[in-house]
Amino acid sequence: MILSGAGREILIAPSILSADFLSLGEEVREAAAAGADLFHLDMMDGHFVPNLTFGPPVIDGLEKVTSLPLEAHLMVEHPEIYLEELAHDGIYRVTVHWEASSHLHYVLSKIRDLGMRAGIALSPATPVTMVSDVLEMIDLVLVMTVNPGFGGQSFIAHSFEKIAKMRSLLDDSGAAHVRLEVDGGIKTSNISQVVACGADTIVMGSAIFGETPCKTVFEEIRERLATG
Ligand code: DX5
Ligand code: ZN
């Protein structure tokens, strides 16, 4: 956890999508030692998004190499079919896409019934108000700052305004405890700005598992947030 200049508790969630899958255990241990607060696991099914990643077996393996919380970001159709297995694998929080769930109320209840925390992700074109009627059922909202599907994309500039709108919606609805996560194109160069807009949980993939050693990246994140 890093305390931002404005006094907000900021959590950094490395997305393993950009890690070297052939040395995943080592990459995860290194990021944990550098200061990760939790790990963000992007599950994609090749239908909701045009990419395929990994599923419960990999998640089960990760649980053995880190004691940090694991959150699953489900970019899949029919997210409900994976929930029991994810709960069994020790997943702390599951985030489902508003755009992928025809029966979101049911899916969110099921996530909590299984003992996990529940999150809703909104793709870039989905308005923030879509979470209004389920605020009591969620622990997190994820504002996607790229179109879901791939790591290493550029941050969509309009997202700054959208994050700020989501911050106001949460604060004005008595839901300030709901975490506001951002995901996609976050680097040390724009992290202060997303935090200034009200984000408190920051997913970073290519920035953390890129060419710069992750220890150096975390040092820079701390510096930016302290002064930003
Ligand atoms: C994209 C994923 C992200 C991705 C972020 O669909 O949800 O979590 O890994 O990667 P970067 O930080 O490289 O944009
Ligand atoms: Zn993600």
Side-chain angles (χ1 to χ4, degrees), residues 35-214:
D37 294 289
L38 68 155
F39 285 98
H40 179 89
L41 314 178
D42 292 299
M43 272 176 65
M44 306 183 190
D45 65 352
H47 293 281
F48 177 63
V49 290
N51 196 7
L52 270 173
T53 54
F54 47 79
V58 171
I59 294 177
D60 189 32
L62 278 175
E63 214 215 346
K64 298 181 178 81
V65 298
T66 180
S67 55
L68 289 177
L70 302 176
E71 67 173 1
H73 173 193
L74 302 191
M75 283 159 277
V76 301
E77 289 178 358
H78 307 295
E80 61 280 1
I81 61 183
Y82 304 97
L83 301 179
E84 271 160 39
E85 202 162 351
L86 291 173
H88 179 259
D89 289 344
I91 286 287
Y92 164 76
R93 181 166 61 215
V94 176
T95 298
V96 292
H97 265 265
W98 182 86
E99 304 81 10
S101 316
S102 336
H103 302 289
L104 192 58
H105 186 280
Y106 163 75
V107 174
L108 294 171
S109 315
K110 188 161 175 186
I111 294 172
R112 281 198 172 164
D113 287 350
L114 287 164
M116 300 180 288
R117 311 243 167 149
I120 299 179
L122 301 183
S123 289
T126 306
V128 296
T129 47
M130 292 308 172
V131 300
S132 298
D133 284 305
V134 282
L135 284 176
E136 286 180 5
M137 308 185 71
I138 57 174
D139 305 286
L140 171 134
V141 289
L142 167 49
V143 172
M144 287 300 297
T145 45
V146 297
N147 282 294
F150 300 92
Q153 303 181 75
S154 301
F155 183 90
I156 297 172
H158 169 72
S159 310
F160 289 125
E161 197 184 317
K162 187 170 178 185
I163 298 161
K165 267 193 204 161
M166 183 61 90
R167 179 80 269 156
S168 305
L169 186 152
L170 295 175
D171 291 351
D172 297 347
S173 316
H177 60 280
V178 171
R179 298 209 68 95
L180 202 179
E181 184 171 58
V182 287
D183 182 8
I186 316 285
K187 312 278 176 202
T188 52
S189 54
N190 59 7
I191 192 167
S192 312
Q193 218 176 332
V194 295
V195 166
C197 291
D200 58 30
T201 305
I202 318 293
V203 178
M204 294 171 92
S206 48
I208 287 181
F209 296 109
E211 294 193 345
T212 312
C214 71

